[in-house]
Amino acid sequence: EDQVTQSPEALRLQEGESSSLNCSYTVSGLRGLFWYRQDPGKGPEFLFTLYSAGEEKEKERLKATLTKKESFLHITAPKPEDSATYLCAVQAGSGGYQKVTFGTGTKLQVIP
Amino acid sequence: GAVVSQHPSRVICKSGTSVKIECRSLDFQATTMFWYRQFPKQSLMLMATSNEGSKATYEQGVEKDKFLINHASLTLSTLTVTSAHPEDSSFYICSAAGTSYNEQFFGPGTRLTVL
Protein backbone atom coordinates (compact mmCIF):
# COMPACT_ATOMS: atom_id res chain seq x y z
CA GLU A 1 0.00 0.00 0.00
CA ASP A 2 1.26 3.44 -0.94
CA GLN A 3 2.32 5.55 2.02
CA VAL A 4 3.13 9.23 2.31
CA THR A 5 4.45 10.67 5.57
CA GLN A 6 5.01 14.36 6.18
CA SER A 7 7.06 15.92 8.94
CA PRO A 8 6.89 17.88 11.07
CA GLU A 9 3.14 18.01 11.67
CA ALA A 10 3.44 21.65 12.62
CA LEU A 11 6.17 24.23 12.26
CA ARG A 12 6.41 27.69 13.72
CA LEU A 13 8.95 30.07 12.21
CA GLN A 14 9.93 33.65 12.73
CA GLU A 15 9.64 35.81 9.65
CA GLY A 16 12.88 35.39 7.69
CA GLU A 17 13.81 32.10 9.37
CA SER A 18 14.39 29.55 6.59
CA SER A 19 13.47 25.88 7.04
CA SER A 20 12.47 22.70 5.23
CA LEU A 21 9.43 20.45 5.22
CA ASN A 22 9.84 16.73 4.60
CA CYS A 23 7.73 14.26 2.64
CA SER A 24 8.76 10.59 2.76
CA TYR A 25 7.06 8.12 0.49
CA THR A 26 6.79 4.40 -0.16
CA VAL A 27 5.09 3.65 -3.44
CA SER A 28 5.30 1.24 -6.30
CA GLY A 29 5.94 2.93 -9.60
CA LEU A 30 6.20 6.62 -8.79
CA ARG A 31 4.77 8.77 -11.56
CA GLY A 32 4.95 12.13 -9.88
CA LEU A 33 5.19 13.90 -6.54
CA PHE A 34 3.10 17.00 -5.91
CA TRP A 35 3.23 19.81 -3.42
CA TYR A 36 0.12 21.82 -2.60
CA ARG A 37 -0.67 24.67 -0.30
CA GLN A 38 -4.00 24.71 1.54
CA ASP A 39 -5.45 27.63 3.42
CA PRO A 40 -8.11 26.97 6.09
CA GLY A 41 -11.53 26.15 4.61
CA LYS A 42 -10.25 26.15 1.05
CA GLY A 43 -9.21 23.60 -1.54
CA PRO A 44 -5.53 22.85 -2.18
CA GLU A 45 -3.55 25.13 -4.45
CA PHE A 46 -1.06 23.46 -6.76
CA LEU A 47 2.60 24.40 -6.25
CA PHE A 48 4.93 21.88 -7.92
CA THR A 49 5.20 18.53 -9.64
CA LEU A 50 8.44 16.56 -9.48
CA TYR A 51 8.96 13.49 -11.63
CA SER A 52 12.40 12.05 -11.00
CA ALA A 53 15.14 11.92 -8.38
CA GLY A 54 17.42 14.91 -8.57
CA GLU A 55 14.78 17.23 -9.95
CA GLU A 56 14.31 20.66 -8.37
CA LYS A 57 11.71 23.37 -8.90
CA GLU A 58 11.44 26.87 -7.52
CA LYS A 59 8.69 29.41 -7.07
CA GLU A 60 9.35 32.65 -5.22
CA ARG A 61 10.49 31.64 -1.70
CA LEU A 62 9.76 27.94 -2.23
CA LYS A 63 12.03 25.26 -3.63
CA ALA A 64 11.08 21.60 -3.97
CA THR A 65 13.57 18.76 -4.34
CA LEU A 66 13.13 15.03 -4.87
CA THR A 67 15.14 11.90 -4.04
CA LYS A 68 14.16 8.27 -4.46
CA LYS A 69 12.62 8.16 -0.99
CA GLU A 70 11.64 11.69 -0.06
CA SER A 71 10.99 15.24 -1.09
CA PHE A 72 11.82 18.49 0.65
CA LEU A 73 10.05 21.81 0.42
CA HIS A 74 12.54 24.51 1.34
CA ILE A 75 11.17 27.85 2.43
CA THR A 76 13.65 30.70 2.25
CA ALA A 77 13.08 33.82 4.34
CA PRO A 78 9.36 33.10 4.88
CA LYS A 79 6.76 35.80 5.32
CA PRO A 80 3.53 35.66 7.36
CA GLU A 81 1.54 35.15 4.15
CA ASP A 82 3.34 31.83 3.69
CA SER A 83 1.41 30.51 6.68
CA ALA A 84 -0.70 27.56 5.49
CA THR A 85 -0.81 23.79 5.49
CA TYR A 86 1.51 22.27 2.91
CA LEU A 87 0.40 18.96 1.46
CA CYS A 88 2.53 16.40 -0.34
CA ALA A 89 0.97 13.83 -2.65
CA VAL A 90 2.32 11.02 -4.80
CA GLN A 91 0.94 9.59 -7.99
CA ALA A 92 1.80 5.95 -8.56
CA GLY A 93 0.74 2.99 -10.58
CA SER A 94 0.58 2.03 -14.19
CA GLY A 95 -1.87 1.94 -17.00
CA GLY A 96 -4.90 4.17 -17.12
CA TYR A 97 -5.45 4.45 -13.36
CA GLN A 98 -2.82 6.23 -11.37
CA LYS A 99 -3.92 6.85 -7.82
CA VAL A 100 -2.86 9.97 -5.95
CA THR A 101 -2.17 9.54 -2.23
CA PHE A 102 -1.90 12.55 0.07
CA GLY A 103 0.13 13.01 3.21
CA THR A 104 -1.41 14.57 6.30
CA GLY A 105 0.34 17.87 5.76
CA THR A 106 2.60 20.25 7.65
CA LYS A 107 0.93 23.26 9.20
CA LEU A 108 3.28 26.20 8.87
CA GLN A 109 2.91 29.35 10.92
CA VAL A 110 5.18 32.31 10.19
CA ILE A 111 5.26 34.90 12.92
CA PRO A 112 6.02 38.55 12.11
CA GLY B 1 -3.49 27.14 -13.62
CA ALA B 2 -6.89 25.84 -14.63
CA VAL B 3 -9.99 26.88 -12.72
CA VAL B 4 -12.34 24.41 -11.07
CA SER B 5 -15.51 25.55 -9.33
CA GLN B 6 -17.78 23.81 -6.86
CA HIS B 7 -21.34 24.54 -5.90
CA PRO B 8 -22.58 24.98 -3.28
CA SER B 9 -19.70 26.11 -1.10
CA ARG B 10 -21.59 25.32 2.06
CA VAL B 11 -24.72 23.26 2.77
CA ILE B 12 -26.59 22.38 5.92
CA CYS B 13 -29.24 19.70 5.73
CA LYS B 14 -31.35 17.45 7.90
CA SER B 15 -30.50 13.81 8.40
CA GLY B 16 -32.05 11.62 5.73
CA THR B 17 -32.02 14.16 2.92
CA SER B 18 -29.92 13.96 -0.23
CA VAL B 19 -27.41 16.59 -1.24
CA LYS B 20 -25.94 17.20 -4.69
CA ILE B 21 -22.56 18.88 -5.16
CA GLU B 22 -21.44 20.12 -8.56
CA CYS B 23 -17.87 20.32 -9.79
CA ARG B 24 -17.11 22.24 -12.96
CA SER B 25 -13.90 22.78 -14.91
CA LEU B 26 -14.26 26.29 -16.27
CA ASP B 27 -11.50 26.64 -18.81
CA PHE B 28 -10.44 23.15 -19.84
CA GLN B 29 -11.90 19.76 -20.66
CA ALA B 30 -11.55 17.40 -17.73
CA THR B 31 -11.36 13.82 -18.90
CA THR B 32 -11.03 12.69 -15.31
CA MET B 33 -12.46 14.11 -12.12
CA PHE B 34 -11.72 13.04 -8.59
CA TRP B 35 -13.76 13.38 -5.43
CA TYR B 36 -12.05 13.68 -2.07
CA ARG B 37 -13.27 13.98 1.48
CA GLN B 38 -11.37 15.79 4.19
CA PHE B 39 -12.19 15.48 7.88
CA PRO B 40 -10.92 18.11 10.34
CA LYS B 41 -7.16 18.07 10.80
CA GLN B 42 -6.84 15.16 8.39
CA SER B 43 -5.60 14.98 4.84
CA LEU B 44 -7.58 14.42 1.70
CA MET B 45 -8.92 10.93 1.19
CA LEU B 46 -9.78 9.88 -2.33
CA MET B 47 -13.35 8.67 -2.58
CA ALA B 48 -13.71 7.97 -6.26
CA THR B 49 -12.38 8.61 -9.72
CA SER B 50 -14.68 9.32 -12.62
CA ASN B 51 -14.08 9.46 -16.32
CA GLU B 52 -16.47 11.26 -18.62
CA GLY B 53 -19.19 8.97 -19.86
CA SER B 54 -18.28 5.95 -17.75
CA LYS B 55 -18.99 4.63 -14.26
CA ALA B 56 -16.93 5.93 -11.39
CA THR B 57 -14.26 3.84 -9.70
CA TYR B 58 -14.72 3.91 -5.95
CA GLU B 59 -12.02 3.45 -3.35
CA GLN B 60 -12.26 0.62 -0.88
CA GLY B 61 -14.69 1.39 1.91
CA VAL B 62 -16.65 4.02 -0.01
CA GLU B 63 -20.27 3.06 -0.59
CA LYS B 64 -21.14 3.60 -4.22
CA ASP B 65 -24.86 3.52 -3.51
CA LYS B 66 -24.50 6.27 -0.95
CA PHE B 67 -22.15 8.53 -2.88
CA LEU B 68 -23.50 8.72 -6.41
CA ILE B 69 -21.14 10.20 -8.96
CA ASN B 70 -22.11 11.33 -12.42
CA HIS B 71 -19.59 12.66 -14.92
CA ALA B 72 -21.97 13.63 -17.70
CA SER B 73 -19.69 15.94 -19.66
CA LEU B 74 -16.08 17.01 -19.95
CA THR B 75 -16.76 19.99 -17.73
CA LEU B 76 -19.19 18.72 -15.11
CA SER B 77 -19.20 16.02 -12.45
CA THR B 78 -21.71 15.71 -9.63
CA LEU B 79 -21.54 13.96 -6.27
CA THR B 80 -24.84 13.14 -4.60
CA VAL B 81 -24.77 12.16 -0.95
CA THR B 82 -27.93 10.11 -0.54
CA SER B 83 -29.77 9.86 2.78
CA ALA B 84 -27.11 11.91 4.50
CA HIS B 85 -26.33 11.31 8.16
CA PRO B 86 -24.30 13.36 10.66
CA GLU B 87 -21.25 11.15 10.09
CA ASP B 88 -21.24 12.31 6.45
CA SER B 89 -20.51 15.84 7.61
CA SER B 90 -17.19 16.74 6.04
CA PHE B 91 -15.38 18.92 3.55
CA TYR B 92 -15.82 17.53 0.05
CA ILE B 93 -13.33 18.57 -2.60
CA CYS B 94 -13.25 17.75 -6.28
CA SER B 95 -10.33 17.95 -8.64
CA ALA B 96 -10.07 17.77 -12.38
CA ALA B 97 -7.38 16.53 -14.71
CA GLY B 98 -6.98 16.82 -18.44
CA THR B 99 -5.43 14.23 -20.68
CA SER B 100 -2.49 13.91 -18.31
CA TYR B 101 -2.80 12.83 -14.69
CA ASN B 102 0.26 14.86 -13.87
CA GLU B 103 -1.64 17.83 -12.53
CA GLN B 104 -4.91 17.91 -10.70
CA PHE B 105 -6.66 21.22 -10.26
CA PHE B 106 -8.77 21.44 -7.16
CA GLY B 107 -12.07 23.09 -6.54
CA PRO B 108 -12.65 25.32 -3.50
CA GLY B 109 -14.51 22.60 -1.63
CA THR B 110 -18.00 22.16 -0.19
CA ARG B 111 -18.61 22.09 3.55
CA LEU B 112 -21.46 19.67 4.30
CA THR B 113 -23.08 19.71 7.70
CA VAL B 114 -25.78 17.14 8.42
CA LEU B 115 -27.92 17.87 11.45
Side-chain angles (χ1 to χ4, degrees):
Chain A
E1 185 178 329
D2 299 340
Q3 287 192 335
V4 180
T5 304
Q6 290 188 247
S7 62
E9 288 187 11
L11 182 62
R12 199 175 183 196
L13 299 174
Q14 290 292 133
E15 184 172 1
E17 179 186 0
S18 301
S19 188
S20 295
L21 313 182
N22 178 265
C23 172
S24 299
Y25 63 90
T26 305
V27 298
S28 177
L30 178 71
R31 293 295 184 181
L33 184 142
F34 309 92
W35 282 98
Y36 292 89
R37 168 193 171 125
Q38 187 175 26
D39 293 301
K42 296 186 178 181
E45 174 190 341
F46 172 79
L47 294 174
F48 304 108
T49 305
L50 301 168
Y51 296 105
S52 58
E55 188 175 0
E56 298 182 353
K57 288 194 177 175
E58 289 188 63
K59 180 180 180 180
E60 296 180 354
R61 296 178 291 281
L62 301 177
K63 178 180 178 181
T65 61
L66 180 65
T67 71
K68 289 186 177 180
K69 295 183 178 180
E70 59 192 348
S71 176
F72 292 94
L73 184 65
H74 307 278
I75 302 178
T76 303
K79 298 182 178 181
E81 52 263 40
D82 295 323
S83 298
T85 295
Y86 289 85
L87 299 171
C88 168
V90 295
Q91 181 183 9
S94 59
Y97 180 63
Q98 299 177 10
K99 182 179 178 181
V100 175
T101 303
F102 279 82
T104 52
T106 293
K107 185 174 183 179
L108 173 66
Q109 183 183 14
V110 182
I111 304 164
Chain B
V3 179
V4 177
S5 70
Q6 276 184 248
H7 178 80
S9 59
R10 192 179 293 266
V11 58
I12 300 173
C13 68
K14 293 182 179 180
S15 185
T17 60
S18 293
V19 175
K20 180 184 282 189
I21 303 170
E22 290 187 352
C23 176
R24 293 182 185 271
S25 59
L26 299 184
D27 52 2
F28 73 106
Q29 292 186 326
T31 54
T32 306
M33 285 187 170
F34 305 84
W35 287 95
Y36 294 86
R37 181 165 51 182
Q38 187 176 35
F39 291 107
K41 298 185 180 181
Q42 293 186 25
S43 191
L44 285 77
M45 296 298 293
L46 179 66
M47 298 175 66
T49 302
S50 73
N51 292 293
E52 185 263 338
S54 61
K55 290 184 178 180
T57 301
Y58 290 81
E59 294 300 303
Q60 192 171 12
V62 178
E63 298 176 59
K64 61 181 180 181
D65 294 329
K66 182 170 183 63
F67 299 100
L68 301 178
I69 292 172
N70 184 280
H71 192 162
S73 74
L74 287 171
T75 60
L76 173 65
S77 176
T78 60
L79 168 68
T80 301
V81 183
T82 62
S83 186
H85 292 284
E87 57 265 31
D88 298 323
S89 298
S90 186
F91 192 53
Y92 291 86
I93 303 175
C94 73
S95 70
T99 54
S100 168
Y101 276 69
N102 292 333
E103 282 188 33
Q104 291 185 32
F105 299 98
F106 285 83
T110 297
R111 172 77 61 193
L112 170 63
T113 302
V114 185
L115 302 175

